[in-house]
Amino acid sequence: MTPNALLRCQAVADPPQHDLQPLKSRVKIMVDGTLLITRITPDDSGNYTCMPTNGLLTPPTASASLTVRHPAQALLMPQQTYLPTGLGGLVSCPVRAQPLLLRVDWTKDGQPLDLAMYPGWTLTSEGSVFMATVNDDATGVYKCTPYNSFGTMGQSGPTTVILQHGWLFCSNPQDPPSLNVSPRKEYREEVGRTLVIPCQTTGEPAPTVTWSKVAPATLSQYSVAANGSLLLLPLSKDHQGVWECSVTNRVGTVKSSTLISALGTSPHAATLVSVFPGVKQANVSWEPGFDGGYPQKFTVWLKQMSVGDSGEKQEWLSVPVPSSSGSSLQVTGLVPDTEYQFSVLPHNKVGTGPFSEIATIRTLNTLPRRAKLEPPTSLSANQSLAGIVLQWSPVAQFPPITGFVLQSRAEQEEWFNLDEDISANRTVMIVPGLRKVTASPC
């Protein structure tokens, strides 16, 4: 069953008025202002803005970002892929995935593709098949199946690899694309301004230039100029991230990436939130998102999932993170053996960023008991010319012992350490200058 998406927007106004315009077949605005999108698809991802109005003054607005999480989807494959004999070649698998791509499986002529059978063939991080030197082995019909943590939407359509042989290059010269003007590694620009990033190329036949945002893989409004440059008119917070320029013709493909930093915005969401629970505390850590060009601070929000003594559900509580704590915080005062949810909220001088994804944990019931350390067994001590030879049986214990300490004393005297760093793997040692009276390792 295809899920729905529900975005709430409730407003109080006097006099009340709702604009219920006819919308597309899958989109409805409820009486309370909630936007309902039925049978959501990956194309529904993006930013939605709610604007309640009664016709008086300037209406307030609130925005929400909708990310549709879905199995990895293979996009349209070209019917033919042209590769140059004797040069490097790439068979690409156009993919859309949220969460990010984990792997891509390939078939060649209907059979699983075993890269180990073809010297110089490897799989790139984007799931494409790269051939260091194209030869007759490359010809065939290829299909790809992408996967992420949600699975796959299925196999791609076929693409037939056609070789461009030497005689063809002589009668009809063809060149793989190359970049005359590449984008810089990073562009930093204030939001609201115009940002133009070049990606100018040559090749025969004339290459096509495409741009895509690869990290984070969200939808953003942009256009591409006739010369291949990326046009962001104007630059917005959604443009923040890694962009990739891809230049392709029948002979090959070249790519170049750049990082766009959109300045003058609220912070971006924290990621990789980890919570390690104790009995009455939890250690929370996260990876900060881009700060929007200003120093950012964080607040950890938490919610107890069980019902309180009064029978009412618990509310979210916030704990400010001291600047000295960086991107981690120990939250104390928790209830043992109880489920909690945690989220991290960033903020800077411009405003508050979005919440991170929620992490759910359960506090421990009791502290784990410390394992009792057992001394070695079958300890023997024998006199030799070099000193006392100590020998003992190995100790099997979990958690494993990491080492031993050797102590010695004369009768009626205090114990003192002879050796504090004996490897746990040792079972025999010689102690010079020791009289055979009493020895006790522990």
mmCIF file of all heavy atoms in Angstrom, residues 23-65:
data_model
loop_
_atom_site.group_PDB
_atom_site.id
_atom_site.type_symbol
_atom_site.label_atom_id
_atom_site.label_comp_id
_atom_site.label_asym_id
_atom_site.label_seq_id
_atom_site.Cartn_x
_atom_site.Cartn_y
_atom_site.Cartn_z
ATOM 1 N N LEU A 23 -7.109 21.554 -6.407
ATOM 2 C CA LEU A 23 -5.714 21.146 -6.497
ATOM 3 C C LEU A 23 -5.600 19.862 -7.300
ATOM 4 O O LEU A 23 -6.604 19.306 -7.766
ATOM 5 C CB LEU A 23 -5.126 20.956 -5.094
ATOM 6 C CG LEU A 23 -5.083 22.210 -4.223
ATOM 7 C CD1 LEU A 23 -4.616 21.859 -2.828
ATOM 8 C CD2 LEU A 23 -4.158 23.250 -4.834
ATOM 9 N N LYS A 24 -4.396 19.399 -7.443
ATOM 10 C CA LYS A 24 -4.171 18.170 -8.190
ATOM 11 C C LYS A 24 -4.859 17.000 -7.497
ATOM 12 O O LYS A 24 -5.201 17.064 -6.325
ATOM 13 C CB LYS A 24 -2.674 17.906 -8.320
ATOM 14 C CG LYS A 24 -1.947 18.973 -9.146
ATOM 15 C CD LYS A 24 -0.474 18.659 -9.251
ATOM 16 C CE LYS A 24 0.248 19.728 -10.067
ATOM 17 N NZ LYS A 24 1.696 19.440 -10.174
ATOM 18 N N SER A 25 -5.005 15.923 -8.235
ATOM 19 C CA SER A 25 -5.807 14.798 -7.752
ATOM 20 C C SER A 25 -5.246 14.171 -6.487
ATOM 21 O O SER A 25 -6.000 13.605 -5.689
ATOM 22 C CB SER A 25 -5.912 13.730 -8.849
ATOM 23 O OG SER A 25 -4.623 13.265 -9.207
ATOM 24 N N ARG A 26 -3.920 14.287 -6.243
ATOM 25 C CA ARG A 26 -3.341 13.639 -5.064
ATOM 26 C C ARG A 26 -3.144 14.601 -3.898
ATOM 27 O O ARG A 26 -2.624 14.208 -2.869
ATOM 28 C CB ARG A 26 -2.005 13.004 -5.417
ATOM 29 C CG ARG A 26 -2.097 11.866 -6.416
ATOM 30 C CD ARG A 26 -0.775 11.131 -6.560
ATOM 31 N NE ARG A 26 0.324 12.014 -6.946
ATOM 32 C CZ ARG A 26 1.306 12.405 -6.142
ATOM 33 N NH1 ARG A 26 1.334 12.008 -4.889
ATOM 34 N NH2 ARG A 26 2.255 13.207 -6.578
ATOM 35 N N VAL A 27 -3.488 15.866 -4.085
ATOM 36 C CA VAL A 27 -3.229 16.867 -3.055
ATOM 37 C C VAL A 27 -4.550 17.456 -2.569
ATOM 38 O O VAL A 27 -5.398 17.852 -3.369
ATOM 39 C CB VAL A 27 -2.315 17.989 -3.596
ATOM 40 C CG1 VAL A 27 -2.056 19.030 -2.519
ATOM 41 C CG2 VAL A 27 -1.009 17.406 -4.098
ATOM 42 N N LYS A 28 -4.708 17.488 -1.244
ATOM 43 C CA LYS A 28 -5.906 18.067 -0.649
ATOM 44 C C LYS A 28 -5.517 18.984 0.499
ATOM 45 O O LYS A 28 -4.552 18.718 1.221
ATOM 46 C CB LYS A 28 -6.837 16.972 -0.117
ATOM 47 C CG LYS A 28 -7.392 16.037 -1.186
ATOM 48 C CD LYS A 28 -8.291 14.979 -0.561
ATOM 49 C CE LYS A 28 -8.833 14.010 -1.619
ATOM 50 N NZ LYS A 28 -9.681 12.957 -1.000
ATOM 51 N N ILE A 29 -6.263 20.072 0.670
ATOM 52 C CA ILE A 29 -6.106 20.936 1.838
ATOM 53 C C ILE A 29 -7.309 20.713 2.731
ATOM 54 O O ILE A 29 -8.449 20.961 2.341
ATOM 55 C CB ILE A 29 -6.002 22.419 1.432
ATOM 56 C CG1 ILE A 29 -4.773 22.649 0.557
ATOM 57 C CG2 ILE A 29 -5.945 23.301 2.672
ATOM 58 C CD1 ILE A 29 -4.604 24.088 0.116
ATOM 59 N N MET A 30 -7.039 20.225 3.950
ATOM 60 C CA MET A 30 -8.107 19.924 4.888
ATOM 61 C C MET A 30 -8.671 21.233 5.459
ATOM 62 O O MET A 30 -8.075 22.311 5.320
ATOM 63 C CB MET A 30 -7.597 19.015 6.006
ATOM 64 C CG MET A 30 -6.755 17.841 5.499
ATOM 65 S SD MET A 30 -7.646 16.737 4.381
ATOM 66 C CE MET A 30 -8.653 15.872 5.578
ATOM 67 N N VAL A 31 -9.802 21.120 6.146
ATOM 68 C CA VAL A 31 -10.469 22.308 6.687
ATOM 69 C C VAL A 31 -9.585 23.032 7.700
ATOM 70 O O VAL A 31 -9.598 24.255 7.799
ATOM 71 C CB VAL A 31 -11.820 21.908 7.317
ATOM 72 C CG1 VAL A 31 -12.477 23.106 7.991
ATOM 73 C CG2 VAL A 31 -12.747 21.330 6.258
ATOM 74 N N ASP A 32 -8.780 22.270 8.466
ATOM 75 C CA ASP A 32 -7.926 22.900 9.483
ATOM 76 C C ASP A 32 -6.609 23.400 8.902
ATOM 77 O O ASP A 32 -5.718 23.826 9.633
ATOM 78 C CB ASP A 32 -7.658 21.934 10.637
ATOM 79 C CG ASP A 32 -6.877 20.706 10.194
ATOM 80 O OD1 ASP A 32 -6.626 20.561 8.967
ATOM 81 O OD2 ASP A 32 -6.511 19.885 11.058
ATOM 82 N N GLY A 33 -6.456 23.342 7.572
ATOM 83 C CA GLY A 33 -5.237 23.830 6.936
ATOM 84 C C GLY A 33 -4.202 22.769 6.654
ATOM 85 O O GLY A 33 -3.173 23.047 6.043
ATOM 86 N N THR A 34 -4.440 21.527 7.095
ATOM 87 C CA THR A 34 -3.478 20.450 6.864
ATOM 88 C C THR A 34 -3.412 20.095 5.390
ATOM 89 O O THR A 34 -4.437 19.976 4.714
ATOM 90 C CB THR A 34 -3.878 19.204 7.679
ATOM 91 O OG1 THR A 34 -3.857 19.531 9.066
ATOM 92 C CG2 THR A 34 -2.916 18.055 7.422
ATOM 93 N N LEU A 35 -2.210 19.947 4.879
ATOM 94 C CA LEU A 35 -1.993 19.541 3.491
ATOM 95 C C LEU A 35 -1.823 18.030 3.447
ATOM 96 O O LEU A 35 -0.917 17.480 4.089
ATOM 97 C CB LEU A 35 -0.753 20.223 2.915
ATOM 98 C CG LEU A 35 -0.359 19.842 1.477
ATOM 99 C CD1 LEU A 35 -1.415 20.340 0.495
ATOM 100 C CD2 LEU A 35 1.008 20.409 1.127
ATOM 101 N N LEU A 36 -2.664 17.356 2.709
ATOM 102 C CA LEU A 36 -2.619 15.906 2.590
ATOM 103 C C LEU A 36 -2.188 15.534 1.183
ATOM 104 O O LEU A 36 -2.817 15.938 0.198
ATOM 105 C CB LEU A 36 -3.993 15.294 2.895
ATOM 106 C CG LEU A 36 -4.134 13.783 2.635
ATOM 107 C CD1 LEU A 36 -3.199 12.996 3.552
ATOM 108 C CD2 LEU A 36 -5.573 13.331 2.824
ATOM 109 N N ILE A 37 -1.105 14.786 1.091
ATOM 110 C CA ILE A 37 -0.618 14.282 -0.195
ATOM 111 C C ILE A 37 -0.790 12.775 -0.181
ATOM 112 O O ILE A 37 -0.153 12.083 0.622
ATOM 113 C CB ILE A 37 0.860 14.648 -0.425
ATOM 114 C CG1 ILE A 37 1.083 16.153 -0.235
ATOM 115 C CG2 ILE A 37 1.322 14.217 -1.799
ATOM 116 C CD1 ILE A 37 2.541 16.548 -0.261
ATOM 117 N N THR A 38 -1.644 12.270 -1.023
ATOM 118 C CA THR A 38 -1.902 10.827 -1.056
ATOM 119 C C THR A 38 -0.993 10.148 -2.076
ATOM 120 O O THR A 38 -0.547 10.754 -3.040
ATOM 121 C CB THR A 38 -3.372 10.550 -1.408
ATOM 122 O OG1 THR A 38 -3.649 11.087 -2.713
ATOM 123 C CG2 THR A 38 -4.303 11.194 -0.390
ATOM 124 N N ARG A 39 -0.724 8.881 -1.820
ATOM 125 C CA ARG A 39 0.076 8.041 -2.727
ATOM 126 C C ARG A 39 1.376 8.754 -3.110
ATOM 127 O O ARG A 39 1.671 8.984 -4.279
ATOM 128 C CB ARG A 39 -0.720 7.669 -3.975
ATOM 129 C CG ARG A 39 -2.045 6.991 -3.689
ATOM 130 C CD ARG A 39 -2.759 6.553 -4.968
ATOM 131 N NE ARG A 39 -2.941 7.636 -5.936
ATOM 132 C CZ ARG A 39 -3.925 8.527 -5.891
ATOM 133 N NH1 ARG A 39 -4.819 8.479 -4.901
ATOM 134 N NH2 ARG A 39 -4.025 9.484 -6.800
ATOM 135 N N ILE A 40 2.164 9.101 -2.095
ATOM 136 C CA ILE A 40 3.372 9.885 -2.327
ATOM 137 C C ILE A 40 4.371 9.124 -3.203
ATOM 138 O O ILE A 40 4.432 7.895 -3.188
ATOM 139 C CB ILE A 40 4.055 10.307 -1.010
ATOM 140 C CG1 ILE A 40 4.407 9.091 -0.159
ATOM 141 C CG2 ILE A 40 3.194 11.278 -0.241
ATOM 142 C CD1 ILE A 40 5.207 9.428 1.066
ATOM 143 N N THR A 41 5.137 9.896 -3.949
ATOM 144 C CA THR A 41 6.175 9.361 -4.823
ATOM 145 C C THR A 41 7.478 10.099 -4.519
ATOM 146 O O THR A 41 7.471 11.163 -3.865
ATOM 147 C CB THR A 41 5.813 9.560 -6.303
ATOM 148 O OG1 THR A 41 5.883 10.963 -6.612
ATOM 149 C CG2 THR A 41 4.413 9.033 -6.609
ATOM 150 N N PRO A 42 8.632 9.591 -4.980
ATOM 151 C CA PRO A 42 9.890 10.305 -4.758
ATOM 152 C C PRO A 42 9.879 11.732 -5.290
ATOM 153 O O PRO A 42 10.541 12.612 -4.737
ATOM 154 C CB PRO A 42 10.916 9.436 -5.501
ATOM 155 C CG PRO A 42 10.340 8.062 -5.463
ATOM 156 C CD PRO A 42 8.853 8.259 -5.573
ATOM 157 N N ASP A 43 9.097 12.000 -6.352
ATOM 158 C CA ASP A 43 9.044 13.352 -6.916
ATOM 159 C C ASP A 43 8.374 14.355 -5.985
ATOM 160 O O ASP A 43 8.472 15.570 -6.200
ATOM 161 C CB ASP A 43 8.293 13.336 -8.249
ATOM 162 C CG ASP A 43 9.060 12.603 -9.332
ATOM 163 O OD1 ASP A 43 10.305 12.678 -9.302
ATOM 164 O OD2 ASP A 43 8.424 11.950 -10.182
ATOM 165 N N ASP A 44 7.687 13.877 -4.932
ATOM 166 C CA ASP A 44 7.015 14.786 -4.007
ATOM 167 C C ASP A 44 7.971 15.422 -3.004
ATOM 168 O O ASP A 44 7.584 16.316 -2.252
ATOM 169 C CB ASP A 44 5.900 14.052 -3.245
ATOM 170 C CG ASP A 44 4.776 13.590 -4.167
ATOM 171 O OD1 ASP A 44 4.541 14.270 -5.175
ATOM 172 O OD2 ASP A 44 4.152 12.548 -3.882
ATOM 173 N N SER A 45 9.217 14.953 -2.959
ATOM 174 C CA SER A 45 10.203 15.548 -2.053
ATOM 175 C C SER A 45 10.412 17.017 -2.395
ATOM 176 O O SER A 45 10.377 17.409 -3.561
ATOM 177 C CB SER A 45 11.534 14.801 -2.149
ATOM 178 O OG SER A 45 11.413 13.470 -1.700
ATOM 179 N N GLY A 46 10.600 17.825 -1.366
ATOM 180 C CA GLY A 46 10.848 19.249 -1.591
ATOM 181 C C GLY A 46 10.381 20.077 -0.423
ATOM 182 O O GLY A 46 10.024 19.551 0.646
ATOM 183 N N ASN A 47 10.362 21.389 -0.584
ATOM 184 C CA ASN A 47 9.963 22.322 0.464
ATOM 185 C C ASN A 47 8.522 22.780 0.228
ATOM 186 O O ASN A 47 8.147 23.134 -0.894
ATOM 187 C CB ASN A 47 10.892 23.535 0.502
ATOM 188 C CG ASN A 47 12.280 23.155 0.961
ATOM 189 O OD1 ASN A 47 12.434 22.378 1.891
ATOM 190 N ND2 ASN A 47 13.288 23.686 0.315
ATOM 191 N N TYR A 48 7.740 22.770 1.288
ATOM 192 C CA TYR A 48 6.345 23.195 1.230
ATOM 193 C C TYR A 48 6.158 24.362 2.198
ATOM 194 O O TYR A 48 6.655 24.323 3.333
ATOM 195 C CB TYR A 48 5.413 22.043 1.601
ATOM 196 C CG TYR A 48 5.399 20.925 0.595
ATOM 197 C CD1 TYR A 48 6.417 19.986 0.560
ATOM 198 C CD2 TYR A 48 4.375 20.806 -0.342
ATOM 199 C CE1 TYR A 48 6.426 18.954 -0.375
ATOM 200 C CE2 TYR A 48 4.355 19.776 -1.274
ATOM 201 C CZ TYR A 48 5.383 18.862 -1.280
ATOM 202 O OH TYR A 48 5.383 17.843 -2.202
ATOM 203 N N THR A 49 5.452 25.391 1.750
ATOM 204 C CA THR A 49 5.220 26.576 2.568
ATOM 205 C C THR A 49 3.729 26.749 2.802
ATOM 206 O O THR A 49 2.931 26.716 1.868
ATOM 207 C CB THR A 49 5.792 27.838 1.897
ATOM 208 O OG1 THR A 49 7.203 27.675 1.729
ATOM 209 C CG2 THR A 49 5.525 29.072 2.741
ATOM 210 N N CYS A 50 3.374 26.914 4.074
ATOM 211 C CA CYS A 50 1.986 27.127 4.478
ATOM 212 C C CYS A 50 1.790 28.625 4.736
ATOM 213 O O CYS A 50 2.596 29.255 5.424
ATOM 214 C CB CYS A 50 1.712 26.301 5.737
ATOM 215 S SG CYS A 50 0.325 26.868 6.712
ATOM 216 N N MET A 51 0.705 29.205 4.193
ATOM 217 C CA MET A 51 0.435 30.625 4.358
ATOM 218 C C MET A 51 -1.055 30.807 4.696
ATOM 219 O O MET A 51 -1.895 30.961 3.812
ATOM 220 C CB MET A 51 0.784 31.408 3.089
ATOM 221 C CG MET A 51 0.570 32.920 3.220
ATOM 222 S SD MET A 51 0.917 33.792 1.669
ATOM 223 C CE MET A 51 2.652 33.472 1.470
ATOM 224 N N PRO A 52 -1.404 30.756 5.986
ATOM 225 C CA PRO A 52 -2.801 31.007 6.364
ATOM 226 C C PRO A 52 -3.116 32.495 6.242
ATOM 227 O O PRO A 52 -2.319 33.347 6.632
ATOM 228 C CB PRO A 52 -2.853 30.538 7.821
ATOM 229 C CG PRO A 52 -1.464 30.710 8.320
ATOM 230 C CD PRO A 52 -0.558 30.456 7.157
ATOM 231 N N THR A 53 -4.268 32.821 5.687
ATOM 232 C CA THR A 53 -4.596 34.231 5.487
ATOM 233 C C THR A 53 -6.089 34.482 5.706
ATOM 234 O O THR A 53 -6.924 33.608 5.442
ATOM 235 C CB THR A 53 -4.210 34.687 4.068
ATOM 236 O OG1 THR A 53 -4.560 36.050 3.908
ATOM 237 C CG2 THR A 53 -4.927 33.849 3.011
ATOM 238 N N ASN A 54 -6.388 35.640 6.208
ATOM 239 C CA ASN A 54 -7.789 36.092 6.302
ATOM 240 C C ASN A 54 -7.984 37.404 5.541
ATOM 241 O O ASN A 54 -8.973 38.103 5.713
ATOM 242 C CB ASN A 54 -8.204 36.260 7.767
ATOM 243 C CG ASN A 54 -7.318 37.252 8.508
ATOM 244 O OD1 ASN A 54 -6.474 37.918 7.899
ATOM 245 N ND2 ASN A 54 -7.500 37.333 9.812
ATOM 246 N N GLY A 55 -6.981 37.771 4.739
ATOM 247 C CA GLY A 55 -7.086 38.961 3.925
ATOM 248 C C GLY A 55 -6.635 40.228 4.618
ATOM 249 O O GLY A 55 -6.691 41.309 4.033
ATOM 250 N N LEU A 56 -6.206 40.120 5.888
ATOM 251 C CA LEU A 56 -5.769 41.295 6.641
ATOM 252 C C LEU A 56 -4.277 41.222 6.898
ATOM 253 O O LEU A 56 -3.748 40.167 7.257
ATOM 254 C CB LEU A 56 -6.519 41.380 7.972
ATOM 255 C CG LEU A 56 -8.050 41.496 7.881
ATOM 256 C CD1 LEU A 56 -8.653 41.505 9.280
ATOM 257 C CD2 LEU A 56 -8.461 42.745 7.100
ATOM 258 N N LEU A 57 -3.581 42.327 6.758
ATOM 259 C CA LEU A 57 -2.161 42.439 7.037
ATOM 260 C C LEU A 57 -1.367 41.425 6.216
ATOM 261 O O LEU A 57 -1.870 40.793 5.292
ATOM 262 C CB LEU A 57 -1.909 42.277 8.543
ATOM 263 C CG LEU A 57 -2.657 43.277 9.452
ATOM 264 C CD1 LEU A 57 -2.348 42.998 10.910
ATOM 265 C CD2 LEU A 57 -2.283 44.710 9.081
ATOM 266 N N THR A 58 -0.103 41.271 6.593
ATOM 267 C CA THR A 58 0.775 40.323 5.896
ATOM 268 C C THR A 58 0.634 38.949 6.539
ATOM 269 O O THR A 58 0.835 38.807 7.751
ATOM 270 C CB THR A 58 2.240 40.786 5.982
ATOM 271 O OG1 THR A 58 2.353 42.090 5.402
ATOM 272 C CG2 THR A 58 3.147 39.813 5.247
ATOM 273 N N PRO A 59 0.264 37.931 5.775
ATOM 274 C CA PRO A 59 0.039 36.622 6.388
ATOM 275 C C PRO A 59 1.352 35.998 6.860
ATOM 276 O O PRO A 59 2.396 36.183 6.239
ATOM 277 C CB PRO A 59 -0.577 35.805 5.253
ATOM 278 C CG PRO A 59 -0.085 36.466 4.005
ATOM 279 C CD PRO A 59 0.023 37.918 4.324
ATOM 280 N N PRO A 60 1.298 35.262 7.969
ATOM 281 C CA PRO A 60 2.502 34.531 8.412
ATOM 282 C C PRO A 60 2.733 33.315 7.521
ATOM 283 O O PRO A 60 1.830 32.845 6.842
ATOM 284 C CB PRO A 60 2.150 34.092 9.839
ATOM 285 C CG PRO A 60 0.656 33.970 9.812
ATOM 286 C CD PRO A 60 0.158 35.039 8.873
ATOM 287 N N THR A 61 3.959 32.830 7.516
ATOM 288 C CA THR A 61 4.289 31.637 6.740
ATOM 289 C C THR A 61 5.085 30.672 7.603
ATOM 290 O O THR A 61 5.760 31.072 8.560
ATOM 291 C CB THR A 61 5.114 31.978 5.486
ATOM 292 O OG1 THR A 61 6.356 32.565 5.891
ATOM 293 C CG2 THR A 61 4.362 32.919 4.561
ATOM 294 N N ALA A 62 4.994 29.399 7.257
ATOM 295 C CA ALA A 62 5.797 28.355 7.895
ATOM 296 C C ALA A 62 6.150 27.337 6.834
ATOM 297 O O ALA A 62 5.322 26.989 5.991
ATOM 298 C CB ALA A 62 5.019 27.690 9.036
ATOM 299 N N SER A 63 7.389 26.903 6.837
ATOM 300 C CA SER A 63 7.868 25.980 5.815
ATOM 301 C C SER A 63 8.260 24.656 6.426
ATOM 302 O O SER A 63 8.664 24.574 7.589
ATOM 303 C CB SER A 63 9.069 26.577 5.061
ATOM 304 O OG SER A 63 8.693 27.757 4.380
ATOM 305 N N ALA A 64 8.114 23.610 5.637
ATOM 306 C CA ALA A 64 8.525 22.268 6.044
ATOM 307 C C ALA A 64 9.158 21.578 4.849
ATOM 308 O O ALA A 64 8.755 21.788 3.708
ATOM 309 C CB ALA A 64 7.326 21.467 6.548
ATOM 310 N N SER A 65 10.168 20.805 5.124
ATOM 311 C CA SER A 65 10.850 20.051 4.083
ATOM 312 C C SER A 65 10.364 18.609 4.121
ATOM 313 O O SER A 65 10.417 17.961 5.170
ATOM 314 C CB SER A 65 12.369 20.111 4.275
ATOM 315 O OG SER A 65 13.031 19.332 3.302
#
